[in-house]
C-alpha cells in the first residue's frame, strides 16, 4: 500500500504541467520580475532624492536665516505686531506652496530636454520644434540625432499663426535669445550674490552669541571662508560631494525640530495663519508698505529654481520625492516656528533665526548652518560654470578654459577664469554692502527674474513642444506670471537699496554675450558669402594647380557646407598642399548631449581623384570636448569606413551630384573601433606628434624633451594597414592606400588667424562693437586652436582680415 502511494506520487510529479498551469507560472514570474524592477527603480530614486539634498536644496534650505529680517525693514518696521507676523508667515507659506511646489514640482520638471533642465533646455526644445534657433550652421542631418527627436514628435497644429510669425521675423527670434541670455546672466549674478548672502548670514550667529565681536570681525571671517570656498573649486565638487547630502539633511531636520519646538512652546495658534485670510488682513493693515516687503518674502523661495536647473544630475521623480515629502515640510514648520517665536518676542526680528534657537543646541546649529551655507554656495557656483559652458556652446560667450573635474559624473566642470572673477565680485559685494538686507534685495531680484523668464518660456513649451492649446498655456502664464510679476515689481522698487547690483552684473555679462555673438555671426556670414566656388576647384583639376605633397591637411572652418575662403587664400600663397585634405567643422547642435556613435558626419568634396573630404564633429550644449588623443585615428578610420560604405551604397557618391558636394553619412565611432575597415596595430609613442616622418633635428629634440617632461602624456601610436581582401574594388583599395600613406607621412592642422574689422562705411556703434569690443574679447580669450585641443607643433595658421 505504501509503495503504491509512492509510485502514484512519482507519476503525478512526472506528468507535464497543464497549459493553464504553465501560463499561471509564467504570469507569476513576470509579476515577480516587475515587482523586483519596481523595487530597484524606487530604491534608485530614493537614493537620488537623498543625494539631491546636498546639491539642489542647500540654497533654499538656508533661507530661514534671513527671510523675516529682510521682510521687516524700512517702513514695515512700524508694523511689527503679532498680526503682521501672522500675515508674513501666511505669505511665506503660500509662496512656497504655489511656486516651488505647484509650478516647479508638478509642471516645470516635466519639460526636461533628454533629462536636462534649465532655461537652455527650454530654449533647446523650442528650437527643435520650431525654427527659433539663431545658430548659423544647422543642417537637416542634425534632425536625425536620437536626442533631437526627444519628446513629442510631429508638427504642432495649434497656433500655427504664432509659430509662423516667430519663425518669419528674425527680431522676434533675437528677442527670444536675449530673454534666455538674460536668464543666464541672472544665474551668473546668483553665483556672485548667493555666497556673500549665505555665508554672512550664517556667520552672524557668532555676533549674536559673543557681544565683544564686532560686525567688522564677522565680515573678515566671512571673507576668509569665501576665499577658501573659491580656492577649493579646482578640486571639483565630487571630492567633497559625499559630505553635502548629510550636512543638508541634518540641517533640515534640525530646523524642522526647532520650528516644531517653537510652535508648541511659544504660540500654537500660528497654525491658523495657514489660511490666506491673514494675507488679506496683512495688506489691509500695511498697504503699500506690505507690497514693498514682498521683496523679502520672495527670498524664501530663492534657490528653488535649482530643482529644474540641476535636473540633469538626478531625475524628475527624485525631485518630486525630495521636495514635497522632506524639504517642503521642514521649511514650512521652521517658518511657522520662527513666526510663533517672533509673535511673542517682537524685538528679536533683526536676528530672528538664531534668537529662536534654544541655548542648549545653539552652537551645533551654528556649525551646521555655516556648513549648509557653504554647500548652498557651492551648488550655485557649479551651476554658474555650467551656464557659462552652455553660453559658449551657443556662440554667446568667449572661449574659456573648461576643466572636467569628475570622470564619473558628467557636467561637473571648473572654469578658472570665471571662478576668480566670481571671487573678486563676491568679495567686493560683501565688503561694499556689509549688510545682508541690501545684498538680499539684489539676490531676490536676480532669482525672481529667472523664475519669471522660466514661466514665459514654459508657456511657449506648452504650445509648441507639448502641442497643447493656447487656452491651456494662457492660464498657466497668467497665474504664475501675475504672482511672480507682483514679486518682481516689489524687487524693482528696491533697486536703489542694493537691487542695482543684479542689474549691473547682468548688463555687464549680457553686453559681453551680445558683443561676442554679434561678432561671431558677422564673421560666419562673411565666410558664408565668400565661399570658394566648386567650379573653380574643378577647373584646377585633381592637382589643384599646385604640388600635392604626402600627408593629411585638416582645414578647420565654421562652415558646415562649401569651401571656406581661407583655403583659396592658402592655395594662392603657397606652392604645395597635402595629398589628402579634410575640411573639419566642429559645431554645437541644440541638444544637451550627442552620443559618440552619432558624433561624426563624413562626406566627400569633389570627385574621388581629388582626395578631399568633409568631417563635421557635433557636440551638444552640455558636451565636454576632451583631448582624448585619438581624434586623428578616429577620423582616419571614419573616412575609411565612409569610403567602403560609398562603394556599397552608390547613392552616397558625389559623382552623381551636379554640385560635387556629396551627401554626408553618420559614421559610428563605436562600430569603427569594433570592426574597422583597416587593420590596426599599436606601439609605444611619446607626446602626440603628427609630423612623424620629419627628419628635422629640432622636431626630434622637441619630441624627446616632451617625453622627458611629460611622462604621463605618453600615448600609443596607431598604425593602419589594409586587410588581405581580394574582392575589394581596386579604386577603393587605391584610395584607402593613399589615406594610410598620408597618415604615415603626418597630419597638419590648418586654421585661419582672423582679424575682424568693421567696414569704413559702418556706423559708429558697429565700429565700437567690432573694432573695440569684439577685438578686445578675441585678444583676451583662449585661441580656437587651444579650445579644440590642436597640437601646437602641427598647427599652421593663415592670417586673414574680415571686413564685416
Amino acid at each position: 500500500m505504501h509503495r503504491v502511494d509512492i509510485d502514484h506520487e512519482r507519476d503525478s510529479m512526472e506528468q507535464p504541467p497543464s497549459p493553464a498551469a504553465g501560463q499561471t507560472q509564467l504570469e507569476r514570474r513576470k509579476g515577480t520580475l516587475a515587482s523586483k524592477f519596481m523595487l530597484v527603480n524606487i530604491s534608485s530614486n530614493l537614493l537620488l532624492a537623498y543625494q539631491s539634498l546636498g546639491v539642489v536644496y542647500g540654497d533654499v534650505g538656508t533661507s530661514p536665516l534671513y527671510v523675516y529680517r529682510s521682510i521687516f525693514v524700512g517702513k514695515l518696521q512700524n508694523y511689527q505686531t503679532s498680526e503682521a507676523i501672522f500675515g508674513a508667515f501666511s505669505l511665506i507659506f503660500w509662496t512656497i506652496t504655489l511656486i516651488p511646489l505647484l509650478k516647479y514640482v508638478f509642471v516645470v520638471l516635466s519639460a526636461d530636454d533628454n533629462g536636462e533642465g534649465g532655461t537652455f533646455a527650454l530654449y533647446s526644445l523650442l528650437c527643435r520644434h520650431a525654427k527659433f534657433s539663431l545658430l548659423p550652421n544647422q543642417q537637416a542631418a542634425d534632425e536625425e540625432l536620437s536626442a533631437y527627436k526627444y519628446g513629442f514628435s510631429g508638427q504642432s497644429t495649434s497656433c500655427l499663426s504664432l509659430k509662423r510669425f516667430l519663425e518669419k521675423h528674425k527680431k522676434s527670434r533675437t528677442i527670444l535669445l536675449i530673454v534666455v541670455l538674460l536668464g543666464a546672466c541672472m544665474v551668473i549674478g546668483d553665483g556672485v550674490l548667493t555666497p556673500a548672502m549665505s555665508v554672512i548670514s550664517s556667520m552672524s550667529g557668532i555676533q549674536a552669541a559673543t557681544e565683544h565681536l564686532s560686525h567688522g570681525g564677522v565680515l573678515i571671517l566671512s571673507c576668509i571662508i569665501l576665499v577658501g570656498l573659491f580656492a577649493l573649486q579646482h578640486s571639483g565638487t565630487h571630492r567633497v560631494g559625499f559630505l553635502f547630502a548629510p550636512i543638508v539633511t541634518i540641517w533640515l531636520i534640525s530646523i524642522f525640530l526647532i520650528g516644531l519646538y517653537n510652535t508648541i512652546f511659544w504660540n500654537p495658534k500660528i497654525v491658523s495663519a495657514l489660511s490666506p485670510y491673514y494675507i488679506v488682513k496683512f495688506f489691509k493693515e500695511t498697504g503699500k508698505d506690505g507690497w514693498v516687503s514682498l521683496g523679502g518674502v520672495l527670498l524664501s523661495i530663492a534657490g528653488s529654481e535649482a530643482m529644474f536647473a540641476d535636473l540633469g544630475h538626478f531625475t524628475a521623480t527624485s525631485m518630486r520625492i525630495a521636495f514635497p515629502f522632506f524639504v517642503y515640510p521642514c521649511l514650512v514648520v521652521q517658518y511657522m516656528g520662527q513666526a510663533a517665536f517672533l509673535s511673542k518676542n517682537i524685538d528679536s526680528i533683526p536676528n530672528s533665526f538664531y534668537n529662536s534657537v534654544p541655548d542648549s543646541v545653539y552652537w551645533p546649529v551654528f556649525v551646521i548652518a555655516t556648513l549648509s551655507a557653504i554647500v548652498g554656495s557651492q551648488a550655485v557656483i557649479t551651476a554658474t560654470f555650467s551656464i557659462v559652458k552652455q553660453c559658449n556652446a551657443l556662440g554667446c560667450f568667449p572661449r574659456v578654459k573648461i576643466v572636467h573635474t569628475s570622470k564619473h559624473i558628467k557636467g561637473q566642470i571648473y572654469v578658472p577664469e570665471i571662478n576668480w572673477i566670481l571671487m573678486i565680485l563676491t568679495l567686493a559685494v560683501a565688503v561694499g554692502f556689509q549688510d545682508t538686507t541690501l545684498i538680499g534685495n539684489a539676490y531676490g531680484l536676480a532669482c525672481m527674474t529667472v523664475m519669471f523668464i522660466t514661466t514665459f518660456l514654459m508657456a511657449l513649451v506648452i504650445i509648441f513642444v507639448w502641442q497643447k492649446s493656447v487656452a491651456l498655456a494662457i492660464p498657466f502664464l497668467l497665474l504664475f506670471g501675475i504672482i511672480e510679476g507682483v514679486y518682481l515689481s516689489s524687487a524693482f522698487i528696491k533697486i536703489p537699496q542694493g537691487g542695482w547690483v543684479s542689474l549691473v552684473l547682468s548688463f555687464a555679462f549680457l553686453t559681453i554675450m551680445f558683443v561676442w555673438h554679434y561678432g561671431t555671426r558677422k564673421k560666419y556670414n562673411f565666410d558664408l558669402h565668400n565661399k570658394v566656388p566648386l567650379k573653380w576647384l574643378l577647373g584646377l583639376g585633381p592637382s589643384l594647380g599646385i604640388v600635392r605633397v604626402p600627408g593629411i591637411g585638416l582645414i578647420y572652418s565654421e562652415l558646415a557646407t562649401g569651401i571656406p575662403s581661407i583655403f583659396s587664400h592658402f592655395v594662392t600663397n603657397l606652392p604645395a598642399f597635402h595629398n589628402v585634405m579634410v575640411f573639419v567643422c566642429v559645431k554645437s547642435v541644440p541638444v544637451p548631449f550627442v552620443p559618440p556613435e552619432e558624433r561624426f558626419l563624413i562626406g566627400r568634396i569633389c570627385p574621388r581623384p581629388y582626395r578631399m573630404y568633409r568631417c563635421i564633429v557635433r557636440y551638444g550644449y552640455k558636451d565636454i570636448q576632451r583631448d582624448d588623443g585619438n581624434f586623428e585615428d578616429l577620423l582616419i578610420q571614419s573616412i575609411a569606413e565612409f569610403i567602403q560604405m560609398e562603394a556599397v551604397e552608390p547613392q552616397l557618391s558625389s559623382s552623381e551630384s551636379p554640385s560635387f558636394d556629396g551627401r554626408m553619412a553618420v559614421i559610428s565611432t563605436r562600430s569603427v573601433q569594433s570592426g574597422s575597415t583597416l587593420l590596426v596595430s599599436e606601439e609605444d609613442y611619446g607626446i602626440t606628434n603628427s609630423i612623424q616622418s620629419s627628419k628635422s633635428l629640432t622636431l626630434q629634440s622637441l619630441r624627446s624633451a616632451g617625453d622627458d617632461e611629460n611622462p604621463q602624456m605618453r600615448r600609443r601610436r596607431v598604425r593602419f594597414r589594409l586587410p588581405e581582401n581580394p574582392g575589394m574594388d581596386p579604386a577603393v583599395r587605391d584610395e584607402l592606400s593613399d589615406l594610410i600613406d598620408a597618415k604615415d607621412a603626418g597630419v597638419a592642422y590648418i586654421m585661419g588667424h582672423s582679424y575682424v574689422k568693421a567696414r569704413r562705411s559702418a556706423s559708429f556703434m558697429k565700429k565700437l562693437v567690432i573694432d573695440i569690443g569684439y577685438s578686445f574679447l578675441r585678444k583676451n580669450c583662449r585661441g580656437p586652436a587651444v579650445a579644440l585641443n590642436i597640437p601646437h607643433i602641427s598647427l599652421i595658421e593663415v592670417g586673414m582680415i574680415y571686413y564685416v
Side-chain angles (χ1 to χ4, degrees):
M1 185 72 178
H2 181 63
R3 183 177 178 182
V4 172
D5 290 339
I6 293 175
D7 291 341
H8 177 71
E9 184 178 355
R10 185 182 301 157
D11 292 340
S12 65
M13 291 176 62
E14 291 175 355
Q15 288 178 359
S18 64
Q23 186 175 1
T24 303
Q25 189 175 6
L26 182 61
E27 289 177 354
R28 286 177 182 174
R29 288 180 180 176
K30 287 183 178 179
T32 304
L33 290 174
S35 60
K36 286 182 178 179
F37 178 76
M38 186 178 297
L39 287 174
V40 170
N41 194 29
I42 291 174
S43 60
S44 175
N45 279 310
L46 287 175
L47 179 61
L48 287 173
Y50 169 72
Q51 292 174 344
S52 70
L53 296 175
V55 177
V56 178
Y57 302 107
D59 191 7
V60 70
T62 54
S63 58
L65 290 170
Y66 45 76
V67 168
Y68 280 107
R69 176 175 58 197
S70 300
I71 294 174
F72 290 96
V73 294
K75 294 183 180 180
L76 208 68
Q77 291 178 345
N78 302 325
Y79 302 94
Q80 293 184 358
T81 61
S82 59
E83 290 80 7
I85 298 293
F86 274 49
F89 166 66
S90 187
L91 273 170
I92 292 171
F93 168 74
W94 284 104
T95 301
I96 296 176
T97 302
L98 288 174
I99 297 181
L101 184 63
L102 183 59
K103 173 189 164 183
Y104 276 94
V105 172
F106 291 107
V107 181
V108 177
L109 285 179
S110 301
D112 65 299
D113 179 16
N114 292 273
E116 297 295 327
T119 53
F120 278 100
L122 297 178
Y123 181 68
S124 174
L125 285 172
L126 290 171
C127 289
R128 298 207 303 272
H129 289 80
K131 297 177 182 178
F132 295 159
S133 178
L134 289 176
L135 290 175
N137 53 2
Q138 299 305 294
Q139 299 171 281
D142 299 336
E143 299 178 9
E144 300 300 321
L145 290 167
S146 56
Y148 203 97
K149 302 173 184 177
Y150 180 83
F152 291 81
S153 60
Q155 293 294 325
S156 173
T157 57
S158 63
C159 203
L160 287 175
S161 58
L162 176 60
K163 180 180 177 181
R164 289 179 185 138
F165 175 82
L166 293 174
E167 291 177 346
K168 181 179 179 182
H169 294 83
K170 184 181 177 182
K171 289 184 178 179
S172 62
R173 290 180 285 142
T174 304
I175 292 173
L176 181 63
L177 178 62
I178 291 175
V179 168
V180 173
L181 294 180
L182 178 61
C185 292
M186 287 295 180
V187 173
I188 296 174
D190 279 351
V192 174
L193 299 169
T194 299
M197 182 77 179
S198 300
V199 173
I200 293 177
S201 297
S202 63
M203 294 301 293
S204 63
I206 295 182
Q207 190 177 9
T210 56
E211 298 179 356
H212 64 275
L213 185 64
S214 64
H215 182 71
V218 173
L219 185 63
I220 292 174
L221 290 175
S222 301
C223 290
I224 292 173
I225 291 177
L226 289 172
V227 170
L229 175 65
F230 284 101
L232 291 175
Q233 291 300 311
H234 70 278
S235 62
T237 58
H238 67 286
R239 299 188 186 279
V240 290
F242 67 95
L243 292 174
F244 286 5
I247 288 173
V248 178
T249 303
I250 294 172
W251 165 252
L252 290 172
I253 293 174
S254 300
I255 63 175
F256 174 83
L257 295 175
I258 292 170
L260 187 62
Y261 167 81
N262 286 329
T263 300
I264 297 172
F265 183 81
W266 291 103
N267 193 354
K269 294 182 180 179
I270 190 65
V271 177
S272 62
L274 296 175
S275 170
Y277 164 76
Y278 286 89
I279 296 178
V280 178
K281 191 175 179 181
F282 175 81
F283 283 115
K284 280 184 178 180
E285 181 182 349
T286 59
K288 180 182 176 182
D289 297 331
W291 168 63
V292 173
S293 71
L294 291 177
V297 176
L298 67 86
L299 292 178
S300 63
I301 59 173
S304 57
E305 69 275 8
M307 279 191 290
F308 186 50
D310 294 331
L311 184 60
H313 298 292
F314 308 98
T315 62
T317 303
S318 64
M319 297 288 190
R320 292 189 174 112
I321 293 173
F323 187 82
F325 297 104
F326 186 66
V327 179
Y328 176 76
C330 291
L331 290 176
V332 170
V333 172
Q334 166 55 212
Y335 284 117
M336 184 188 297
Q338 271 197 64
F341 172 81
L342 292 176
S343 66
K344 302 298 183 181
N345 301 273
I346 300 295
D347 296 336
S348 297
I349 287 179
N351 200 15
S352 60
F353 175 79
Y354 282 111
N355 287 344
S356 69
V357 177
D359 293 338
S360 58
V361 295
Y362 185 90
W363 287 110
V365 170
F366 167 75
V367 172
I368 296 297
T370 304
L371 293 175
S372 298
I374 294 173
V375 169
S377 303
Q378 172 66 54
V380 174
I381 293 170
T382 304
T384 303
F385 294 156
S386 179
I387 285 290
V388 169
K389 164 69 179 69
Q390 294 171 39
C391 291
N392 179 262
L394 280 175
C396 297
F397 202 87
R399 293 178 293 269
V400 290
K401 183 178 181 180
I402 297 174
V403 181
H404 203 261
T405 58
S406 174
K407 295 180 179 179
H408 308 290
I409 304 175
K410 64 181 182 181
Q412 288 196 359
I413 59 175
Y414 167 65
V415 185
E417 298 94 331
I418 300 300
N419 181 65
W420 302 122
I421 290 173
L422 289 180
M423 187 190 75
I424 293 171
L425 293 175
T426 301
L427 292 175
V429 168
V431 174
F433 285 109
Q434 304 183 13
D435 184 4
T436 54
T437 301
L438 298 178
I439 300 174
N441 293 337
Y443 179 44
L445 177 60
C447 291
M448 190 50 65
T449 303
V450 174
M451 294 181 184
F452 189 79
I453 290 173
T454 301
T455 300
F456 167 71
L457 294 175
M458 192 65 212
L460 296 179
V461 166
I462 292 174
I463 297 172
F464 298 119
V465 180
W466 291 358
Q467 302 176 15
K468 305 296 182 181
S469 65
V470 181
L472 186 64
I474 288 179
F476 174 85
L477 183 62
L478 289 178
L479 174 63
F480 295 107
I482 290 175
I483 294 173
E484 293 167 354
V486 171
Y487 280 108
L488 196 59
S489 64
S490 174
F492 272 110
I493 291 294
K494 296 187 177 182
I495 287 178
Q497 290 83 38
W500 58 269
V501 175
S502 288
L503 296 182
V504 170
L505 289 173
S506 300
F507 179 77
F509 282 104
L510 190 61
T511 301
I512 291 173
M513 292 180 182
F514 170 77
V515 169
W516 184 262
H517 182 70
Y518 180 79
T520 302
R521 280 188 60 84
K522 288 296 181 182
K523 179 178 176 294
Y524 177 83
N525 288 333
F526 180 91
D527 278 331
L528 192 64
H529 294 107
N530 291 275
K531 292 190 293 186
V532 177
L534 282 174
K535 290 183 179 179
W536 179 70
L537 284 180
L538 294 173
L540 295 177
S543 67
L544 299 180
I546 55 177
V547 178
R548 302 292 291 269
V549 297
I552 298 178
L554 302 182
I555 305 162
Y556 278 76
S557 169
E558 294 179 2
L559 293 179
T561 59
I563 308 298
S565 56
I566 185 177
F567 179 69
S568 62
H569 189 67
F570 194 95
V571 169
T572 53
N573 284 275
L574 290 178
F577 214 86
H578 301 84
N579 271 340
V580 176
M581 287 178 284
V582 184
F583 292 89
V584 181
C585 172
V586 180
K587 71 172 189 176
S588 296
V589 289
V591 296
F593 299 99
V594 175
E597 61 268 20
E598 299 179 359
R599 194 174 305 285
F600 284 89
L601 267 177
I602 304 294
R604 186 189 295 280
I605 301 175
C606 296
R608 178 173 289 172
Y610 283 72
R611 303 293 192 257
M612 295 171 65
Y613 309 93
R614 184 187 305 283
C615 173
I616 298 176
V617 189
R618 301 178 292 185
Y619 289 95
Y621 57 81
K622 280 203 165 186
D623 271 324
I624 302 296
Q625 299 182 26
R626 299 185 184 180
D627 183 14
D628 295 328
N630 62 346
F631 172 73
E632 293 178 9
D633 302 327
L634 285 176
L635 179 61
I636 300 305
Q637 290 174 290
S638 298
I639 294 175
E641 195 74 17
F642 170 79
I643 294 170
Q644 188 77 359
M645 185 188 301
E646 187 185 43
V648 178
E649 304 177 26
Q651 65 270 22
L652 291 175
S653 176
S654 63
S655 60
E656 297 182 4
S657 173
S659 64
F660 291 100
D661 198 350
R663 292 175 55 188
M664 308 290 290
V666 177
I667 305 297
S668 172
T669 54
R670 290 181 180 175
S671 64
V672 162
Q673 292 172 330
S674 60
S676 176
T677 303
L678 306 178
L679 298 179
V680 181
S681 60
E682 295 182 352
E683 59 184 31
D684 287 332
Y685 189 63
I687 294 178
T688 301
N689 184 357
S690 33
I691 316 179
Q692 292 108 353
S693 62
S694 174
K695 304 295 183 180
S696 170
L697 295 176
T698 305
L699 294 183
Q700 291 177 7
S701 63
L702 284 173
R703 284 199 293 269
S704 62
D707 290 343
D708 294 338
E709 294 178 6
N710 301 280
Q712 73 279 7
M713 293 183 64
R714 292 184 64 86
R715 298 169 179 167
R716 300 191 66 82
R717 178 177 176 180
V718 176
R719 286 190 176 276
F720 301 102
R721 57 189 178 87
L722 285 173
E724 296 294 335
N725 185 1
M728 182 180 292
D729 188 335
V732 172
R733 176 174 288 277
D734 290 343
E735 189 170 7
L736 291 175
S737 179
D738 289 346
L739 182 65
I740 294 173
D741 293 341
K743 173 63 170 66
D744 292 338
V747 180
Y749 296 78
I750 299 114
M751 296 191 70
H753 190 80
S754 56
Y755 300 89
V756 182
K757 294 185 178 181
R759 293 191 181 96
R760 292 183 179 180
S761 59
S763 63
F764 171 76
M765 184 59 65
K766 186 174 182 179
K767 290 181 179 179
L768 180 67
V769 170
I770 296 295
D771 294 343
I772 298 178
Y774 185 69
S775 177
F776 174 80
L777 292 175
R778 278 183 64 85
K779 289 178 181 177
N780 291 277
C781 73
R782 288 169 67 84
V786 179
L788 294 170
N789 301 312
I790 294 176
H792 183 71
I793 198 171
S794 308
L795 177 63
I796 301 173
E797 290 189 295
V798 183
M800 279 196 67
I801 298 179
Y802 290 76
Y803 287 101
V804 298

